[in-house]
Amino acid sequence: MSALFNFQSLLLVILLMICTCTYIRAVAPRLIDRNKEGFLGLFWMSARIGERLSPYVALACIAMAVTILSQ
């Protein structure tokens, strides 16, 4: 089933995007920071969400891991 139609898969894709963009911005900030507008601005926004809300993102990742492992 596609990630668009399954809510749990959609949340997983969003969490992975946030975590990946945050990591890339920590390693190579110029890659993310040069595209702040347009479609690629979604990656910049995801990195900002990951930086500012990192405890909540971490808790969401743990909760998602527990739900996937329990299935």
Side-chain angles (χ1 to χ4, degrees), residues 10-26:
L10 180 65
L11 285 178
L12 181 65
V13 168
I14 291 171
L15 278 173
L16 286 174
M17 186 175 84
I18 289 172
C19 294
T20 303
C21 289
T22 305
Y23 176 75
I24 291 173
R25 188 168 190 279

Side-chain angles (χ1 to χ4, degrees), residues 20-37 40-41 43-44 47-48 51:
T20 303
C21 289
T22 305
Y23 176 75
I24 291 173
R25 188 168 190 279
V27 173
R30 290 185 61 196
L31 262 156
I32 300 289
D33 287 344
R34 66 179 167 198
N35 299 316
K36 293 184 180 180
E37 297 171 355
L40 294 176
F43 300 121
W44 179 77
R48 297 298 289 178
E51 290 171 350

